[in-house]
mmCIF file of all heavy atoms in Angstrom:
data_model
loop_
_atom_site.group_PDB
_atom_site.id
_atom_site.type_symbol
_atom_site.label_atom_id
_atom_site.label_comp_id
_atom_site.label_asym_id
_atom_site.label_seq_id
_atom_site.Cartn_x
_atom_site.Cartn_y
_atom_site.Cartn_z
ATOM 1 N N HIS X 1 -18.055 -5.455 4.812
ATOM 2 C CA HIS X 1 -17.662 -4.359 3.926
ATOM 3 C C HIS X 1 -16.382 -4.642 3.142
ATOM 4 O O HIS X 1 -16.126 -4.003 2.130
ATOM 5 C CB HIS X 1 -17.480 -3.074 4.739
ATOM 6 C CG HIS X 1 -18.754 -2.536 5.305
ATOM 7 N ND1 HIS X 1 -19.712 -1.911 4.544
ATOM 8 C CD2 HIS X 1 -19.231 -2.536 6.572
ATOM 9 C CE1 HIS X 1 -20.728 -1.548 5.306
ATOM 10 N NE2 HIS X 1 -20.458 -1.921 6.560
ATOM 11 N N PHE X 2 -15.556 -5.570 3.608
ATOM 12 C CA PHE X 2 -14.293 -5.851 2.939
ATOM 13 C C PHE X 2 -13.739 -7.184 3.443
ATOM 14 O O PHE X 2 -14.241 -7.753 4.410
ATOM 15 C CB PHE X 2 -13.253 -4.744 3.205
ATOM 16 C CG PHE X 2 -12.848 -4.638 4.665
ATOM 17 C CD1 PHE X 2 -11.736 -5.332 5.147
ATOM 18 C CD2 PHE X 2 -13.574 -3.857 5.545
ATOM 19 C CE1 PHE X 2 -11.381 -5.256 6.489
ATOM 20 C CE2 PHE X 2 -13.221 -3.774 6.899
ATOM 21 C CZ PHE X 2 -12.123 -4.478 7.356
ATOM 22 N N GLN X 3 -12.696 -7.673 2.739
ATOM 23 C CA GLN X 3 -11.936 -8.813 3.180
ATOM 24 C C GLN X 3 -10.536 -8.368 3.568
ATOM 25 O O GLN X 3 -10.023 -7.378 3.049
ATOM 26 C CB GLN X 3 -11.862 -9.891 2.082
ATOM 27 C CG GLN X 3 -13.207 -10.535 1.765
ATOM 28 C CD GLN X 3 -13.799 -11.248 2.963
ATOM 29 O OE1 GLN X 3 -13.093 -11.943 3.704
ATOM 30 N NE2 GLN X 3 -15.103 -11.068 3.174
ATOM 31 N N LEU X 4 -9.909 -9.075 4.469
ATOM 32 C CA LEU X 4 -8.602 -8.666 4.966
ATOM 33 C C LEU X 4 -7.532 -8.675 3.883
ATOM 34 O O LEU X 4 -6.542 -7.942 3.979
ATOM 35 C CB LEU X 4 -8.184 -9.563 6.138
ATOM 36 C CG LEU X 4 -8.998 -9.375 7.429
ATOM 37 C CD1 LEU X 4 -8.640 -10.455 8.449
ATOM 38 C CD2 LEU X 4 -8.753 -7.991 8.023
ATOM 39 N N ARG X 5 -7.693 -9.498 2.839
ATOM 40 C CA ARG X 5 -6.742 -9.539 1.726
ATOM 41 C C ARG X 5 -7.062 -8.524 0.628
ATOM 42 O O ARG X 5 -6.325 -8.424 -0.353
ATOM 43 C CB ARG X 5 -6.678 -10.936 1.127
ATOM 44 C CG ARG X 5 -6.071 -11.997 2.052
ATOM 45 C CD ARG X 5 -5.952 -13.324 1.324
ATOM 46 N NE ARG X 5 -5.496 -14.394 2.183
ATOM 47 C CZ ARG X 5 -4.232 -14.707 2.405
ATOM 48 N NH1 ARG X 5 -3.271 -14.015 1.790
ATOM 49 N NH2 ARG X 5 -3.916 -15.715 3.205
ATOM 50 N N ASP X 6 -8.124 -7.755 0.795
ATOM 51 C CA ASP X 6 -8.445 -6.737 -0.211
ATOM 52 C C ASP X 6 -7.311 -5.711 -0.303
ATOM 53 O O ASP X 6 -6.716 -5.342 0.732
ATOM 54 C CB ASP X 6 -9.734 -6.006 0.151
ATOM 55 C CG ASP X 6 -10.978 -6.799 -0.178
ATOM 56 O OD1 ASP X 6 -10.871 -7.806 -0.891
ATOM 57 O OD2 ASP X 6 -12.087 -6.406 0.288
ATOM 58 N N PRO X 7 -7.007 -5.229 -1.520
ATOM 59 C CA PRO X 7 -5.999 -4.174 -1.625
ATOM 60 C C PRO X 7 -6.533 -2.875 -1.035
ATOM 61 O O PRO X 7 -7.710 -2.536 -1.173
ATOM 62 C CB PRO X 7 -5.771 -4.056 -3.135
ATOM 63 C CG PRO X 7 -7.033 -4.580 -3.757
ATOM 64 C CD PRO X 7 -7.524 -5.659 -2.839
ATOM 65 N N VAL X 8 -5.643 -2.139 -0.383
ATOM 66 C CA VAL X 8 -6.017 -0.852 0.201
ATOM 67 C C VAL X 8 -6.513 0.091 -0.892
ATOM 68 O O VAL X 8 -7.405 0.915 -0.675
ATOM 69 C CB VAL X 8 -4.832 -0.245 0.964
ATOM 70 C CG1 VAL X 8 -5.165 1.154 1.488
ATOM 71 C CG2 VAL X 8 -4.422 -1.158 2.116
ATOM 72 N N SER X 9 -5.941 -0.034 -2.085
ATOM 73 C CA SER X 9 -6.311 0.833 -3.199
ATOM 74 C C SER X 9 -7.770 0.680 -3.627
ATOM 75 O O SER X 9 -8.300 1.544 -4.326
ATOM 76 C CB SER X 9 -5.397 0.577 -4.410
ATOM 77 O OG SER X 9 -5.465 -0.781 -4.825
ATOM 78 N N LYS X 10 -8.431 -0.377 -3.213
ATOM 79 C CA LYS X 10 -9.858 -0.546 -3.489
ATOM 80 C C LYS X 10 -10.647 0.604 -2.866
ATOM 81 O O LYS X 10 -11.667 1.033 -3.403
ATOM 82 C CB LYS X 10 -10.338 -1.894 -2.951
ATOM 83 C CG LYS X 10 -11.822 -2.162 -3.125
ATOM 84 C CD LYS X 10 -12.190 -3.539 -2.580
ATOM 85 C CE LYS X 10 -13.688 -3.821 -2.708
ATOM 86 N NZ LYS X 10 -14.021 -5.190 -2.173
ATOM 87 N N PHE X 11 -10.187 1.094 -1.732
ATOM 88 C CA PHE X 11 -10.865 2.181 -1.006
ATOM 89 C C PHE X 11 -10.099 3.505 -1.093
ATOM 90 O O PHE X 11 -10.701 4.573 -1.008
ATOM 91 C CB PHE X 11 -11.055 1.796 0.459
ATOM 92 C CG PHE X 11 -11.928 0.585 0.656
ATOM 93 C CD1 PHE X 11 -11.377 -0.682 0.788
ATOM 94 C CD2 PHE X 11 -13.303 0.717 0.687
ATOM 95 C CE1 PHE X 11 -12.186 -1.793 0.971
ATOM 96 C CE2 PHE X 11 -14.127 -0.393 0.865
ATOM 97 C CZ PHE X 11 -13.560 -1.649 0.988
ATOM 98 N N ILE X 12 -8.764 3.421 -1.225
ATOM 99 C CA ILE X 12 -7.934 4.621 -1.336
ATOM 100 C C ILE X 12 -7.096 4.479 -2.608
ATOM 101 O O ILE X 12 -5.984 3.937 -2.579
ATOM 102 C CB ILE X 12 -7.025 4.784 -0.104
ATOM 103 C CG1 ILE X 12 -7.856 4.691 1.200
ATOM 104 C CG2 ILE X 12 -6.322 6.155 -0.152
ATOM 105 C CD1 ILE X 12 -7.015 4.720 2.458
ATOM 106 N N PRO X 13 -7.596 4.921 -3.755
ATOM 107 C CA PRO X 13 -6.931 4.685 -5.047
ATOM 108 C C PRO X 13 -5.495 5.185 -5.120
ATOM 109 O O PRO X 13 -4.692 4.659 -5.909
ATOM 110 C CB PRO X 13 -7.838 5.432 -6.038
ATOM 111 C CG PRO X 13 -9.179 5.477 -5.373
ATOM 112 C CD PRO X 13 -8.888 5.602 -3.908
ATOM 113 N N GLU X 14 -5.131 6.174 -4.308
ATOM 114 C CA GLU X 14 -3.788 6.723 -4.346
ATOM 115 C C GLU X 14 -2.715 5.661 -4.063
ATOM 116 O O GLU X 14 -1.572 5.782 -4.526
ATOM 117 C CB GLU X 14 -3.651 7.861 -3.352
ATOM 118 C CG GLU X 14 -4.434 9.122 -3.744
ATOM 119 C CD GLU X 14 -4.636 10.067 -2.611
ATOM 120 O OE1 GLU X 14 -5.426 9.726 -1.711
ATOM 121 O OE2 GLU X 14 -4.036 11.146 -2.603
ATOM 122 N N PHE X 15 -3.058 4.606 -3.317
ATOM 123 C CA PHE X 15 -2.087 3.569 -3.006
ATOM 124 C C PHE X 15 -1.829 2.618 -4.164
ATOM 125 O O PHE X 15 -0.921 1.785 -4.082
ATOM 126 C CB PHE X 15 -2.509 2.788 -1.757
ATOM 127 C CG PHE X 15 -2.175 3.491 -0.470
ATOM 128 C CD1 PHE X 15 -3.123 4.203 0.216
ATOM 129 C CD2 PHE X 15 -0.887 3.442 0.041
ATOM 130 C CE1 PHE X 15 -2.831 4.861 1.397
ATOM 131 C CE2 PHE X 15 -0.571 4.101 1.234
ATOM 132 C CZ PHE X 15 -1.540 4.812 1.896
ATOM 133 N N ALA X 16 -2.575 2.738 -5.255
ATOM 134 C CA ALA X 16 -2.337 1.883 -6.412
ATOM 135 C C ALA X 16 -1.026 2.228 -7.110
ATOM 136 O O ALA X 16 -0.431 1.383 -7.785
ATOM 137 C CB ALA X 16 -3.499 1.992 -7.403
ATOM 138 N N ALA X 17 -0.558 3.459 -6.960
ATOM 139 C CA ALA X 17 0.643 3.918 -7.658
ATOM 140 C C ALA X 17 1.898 3.860 -6.799
ATOM 141 O O ALA X 17 2.953 4.332 -7.229
ATOM 142 C CB ALA X 17 0.418 5.343 -8.165
ATOM 143 N N VAL X 18 1.834 3.289 -5.606
ATOM 144 C CA VAL X 18 2.963 3.318 -4.686
ATOM 145 C C VAL X 18 4.126 2.497 -5.237
ATOM 146 O O VAL X 18 3.953 1.488 -5.935
ATOM 147 C CB VAL X 18 2.532 2.811 -3.296
ATOM 148 C CG1 VAL X 18 2.340 1.300 -3.285
ATOM 149 C CG2 VAL X 18 3.553 3.219 -2.236
ATOM 150 N N LYS X 19 5.365 2.957 -4.938
ATOM 151 C CA LYS X 19 6.590 2.257 -5.320
ATOM 152 C C LYS X 19 7.369 1.862 -4.085
ATOM 153 O O LYS X 19 7.115 2.339 -2.974
ATOM 154 C CB LYS X 19 7.461 3.155 -6.202
ATOM 155 C CG LYS X 19 6.800 3.576 -7.507
ATOM 156 C CD LYS X 19 6.599 2.395 -8.440
ATOM 157 C CE LYS X 19 6.168 2.908 -9.798
ATOM 158 N NZ LYS X 19 5.297 2.282 -10.466
ATOM 159 N N VAL X 20 8.367 0.971 -4.266
ATOM 160 C CA VAL X 20 9.210 0.500 -3.183
ATOM 161 C C VAL X 20 10.621 1.004 -3.409
ATOM 162 O O VAL X 20 11.164 0.902 -4.508
ATOM 163 C CB VAL X 20 9.210 -1.038 -3.086
ATOM 164 C CG1 VAL X 20 10.082 -1.508 -1.916
ATOM 165 C CG2 VAL X 20 7.790 -1.574 -2.952
ATOM 166 N N SER X 21 11.230 1.550 -2.364
ATOM 167 C CA SER X 21 12.608 1.994 -2.438
ATOM 168 C C SER X 21 13.553 0.823 -2.228
ATOM 169 O O SER X 21 13.301 -0.038 -1.390
ATOM 170 C CB SER X 21 12.871 3.064 -1.386
ATOM 171 O OG SER X 21 14.259 3.335 -1.275
ATOM 172 N N THR X 22 14.647 0.808 -2.970
ATOM 173 C CA THR X 22 15.649 -0.227 -2.786
ATOM 174 C C THR X 22 16.561 0.071 -1.599
ATOM 175 O O THR X 22 17.405 -0.752 -1.231
ATOM 176 C CB THR X 22 16.492 -0.392 -4.042
ATOM 177 O OG1 THR X 22 17.098 0.870 -4.380
ATOM 178 C CG2 THR X 22 15.641 -0.865 -5.215
ATOM 179 N N THR X 23 16.424 1.239 -1.001
ATOM 180 C CA THR X 23 17.205 1.595 0.173
ATOM 181 C C THR X 23 16.302 1.599 1.391
ATOM 182 O O THR X 23 15.375 2.384 1.490
ATOM 183 C CB THR X 23 17.837 3.000 0.017
ATOM 184 O OG1 THR X 23 18.678 3.010 -1.122
ATOM 185 C CG2 THR X 23 18.654 3.357 1.251
ATOM 186 N N SER X 24 16.543 0.714 2.333
ATOM 187 C CA SER X 24 15.760 0.655 3.561
ATOM 188 C C SER X 24 16.655 0.645 4.785
ATOM 189 O O SER X 24 16.286 0.138 5.842
ATOM 190 C CB SER X 24 14.852 -0.589 3.558
ATOM 191 O OG SER X 24 15.627 -1.757 3.463
ATOM 192 N N ASP X 25 17.865 1.181 4.615
ATOM 193 C CA ASP X 25 18.794 1.212 5.737
ATOM 194 C C ASP X 25 18.646 2.520 6.522
ATOM 195 O O ASP X 25 17.698 3.272 6.332
ATOM 196 C CB ASP X 25 20.240 1.028 5.257
ATOM 197 C CG ASP X 25 20.650 2.091 4.220
ATOM 198 O OD1 ASP X 25 20.055 3.201 4.222
ATOM 199 O OD2 ASP X 25 21.547 1.819 3.418
ATOM 200 N N ALA X 26 19.591 2.784 7.388
ATOM 201 C CA ALA X 26 19.495 3.943 8.258
ATOM 202 C C ALA X 26 19.987 5.239 7.621
ATOM 203 O O ALA X 26 20.060 6.274 8.276
ATOM 204 C CB ALA X 26 20.279 3.682 9.543
ATOM 205 N N SER X 27 20.310 5.197 6.326
ATOM 206 C CA SER X 27 20.817 6.391 5.666
ATOM 207 C C SER X 27 19.782 7.488 5.540
ATOM 208 O O SER X 27 20.116 8.671 5.452
ATOM 209 C CB SER X 27 21.344 6.049 4.273
ATOM 210 O OG SER X 27 20.286 5.673 3.399
ATOM 211 N N GLY X 28 18.539 7.100 5.513
ATOM 212 C CA GLY X 28 17.466 8.072 5.324
ATOM 213 C C GLY X 28 17.220 8.412 3.872
ATOM 214 O O GLY X 28 16.320 9.196 3.547
ATOM 215 N N GLU X 29 18.015 7.841 2.962
ATOM 216 C CA GLU X 29 17.917 8.188 1.555
ATOM 217 C C GLU X 29 16.937 7.269 0.825
ATOM 218 O O GLU X 29 16.697 6.133 1.235
ATOM 219 C CB GLU X 29 19.291 8.101 0.897
ATOM 220 C CG GLU X 29 20.329 9.060 1.489
ATOM 221 C CD GLU X 29 21.697 8.880 0.889
ATOM 222 O OE1 GLU X 29 21.862 7.946 0.070
ATOM 223 O OE2 GLU X 29 22.605 9.665 1.237
#
């Protein structure tokens, strides 16, 4: 049904628009 390298958005389109935060520390921000 799929390959392990397939993008998740192939099945769940909402993940195509995801962004990455430049803050990944313990601030919570």
Side-chain angles (χ1 to χ4, degrees):
H1 293 286
F2 65 92
Q3 294 298 318
L4 291 171
R5 293 185 185 272
D6 282 347
V8 175
S9 59
K10 178 179 178 179
F11 298 95
I12 309 175
E14 291 163 289
F15 279 100
V18 74
K19 299 293 189 219
V20 181
S21 169
T22 57
T23 301
S24 60
D25 57 25
S27 68
E29 299 176 356

